[in-house]
Amino acid sequence: MDEKYQELYRRAAEAYENAYAPYSKYRVGAAVLWESGRITTGSNVENASYGLTVCAERNAVFTGTGLGERKIKAIAIAVPAGDFPAPCGACRQVIREFAQNCDILLLNGKGEKKITTLVELLPNSFGPEFLPESGLKA
Ligand code: THU
């Protein structure tokens, strides 16, 4: 497999070590590979006011956009749990903002890997190109 993808899996697995998940105990790590080659990571951050929780994927994406990144090439999501992770609907749409399609790499606690795509997880999606004044240049 592509060396960059191996690195992406590894960085996502490292990221869940820093998850703040005292309520659900469900730790998630994510690593985004941007078109520039940069990788940004994130983990889930929960809150005593539960609804304020932010997923690992969104933290990883927003860390990249804060550095000026705008095009996602791939994202890896890793969990120590036995089942493969599944990005929530909100995170799928946030990823969609920065990629019409991209690879989504999944890693579970058994060390099993699976690659899917954004189009598979979010078919017929709505994105910035639908708007006359696209936010792509923002
Ligand atoms: N979570 C993520 O970080 N990413 C996912 O793909 C699914 C859910 C987090 C949110 C919350 O901290 C915990 O997992 C349980 O929902």
Side-chain angles (χ1 to χ4, degrees):
M1 185 191 297
D2 187 68
E3 245 178 57
K4 205 76 182 171
Y5 277 15
Q6 294 291 8
E7 184 185 353
L8 209 58
Y9 275 124
R10 186 175 54 74
R11 296 284 302 276
E14 275 173 17
Y16 72 60
E17 297 295 346
N18 292 323
Y20 177 72
Y23 308 108
S24 73
K25 318 271 190 226
Y26 186 78
R27 294 181 293 154
V28 186
V32 176
L33 173 62
W34 299 90
E35 291 283 354
S36 66
R38 177 185 269 148
I39 291 175
T40 56
T41 62
S43 50
N44 52 328
V45 181
E46 299 185 346
N47 192 281
S49 179
Y50 292 175
L52 297 182
T53 292
V54 181
C55 294
E57 296 88 330
R58 270 175 286 162
N59 280 325
V61 169
F62 296 152
T63 295
T65 59
L67 294 168
E69 299 291 352
R70 291 293 184 269
K71 288 203 102 178
I72 293 175
K73 192 169 173 196
I75 176 166
I77 307 161
V79 291
D83 291 332
F84 281 114
C88 79
C91 287
R92 292 176 198 201
Q93 187 64 45
V94 166
I95 295 164
R96 172 65 180 82
E97 186 70 18
F98 303 106
Q100 292 196 18
N101 195 15
C102 69
D103 284 339
I104 300 189
L105 288 55
L106 307 173
L107 173 66
N108 66 23
K110 299 175 204 158
E112 294 166 336
K113 295 170 178 171
K114 184 162 83 176
I115 299 184
T116 181
T117 64
L118 181 63
V119 163
E120 199 164 49
L121 296 185
L122 192 70
N124 304 315
S125 64
F126 177 78
E129 317 73 33
F130 285 67
L131 301 174
E133 292 298 323
S134 166
L136 283 179
K137 283 188 237 98

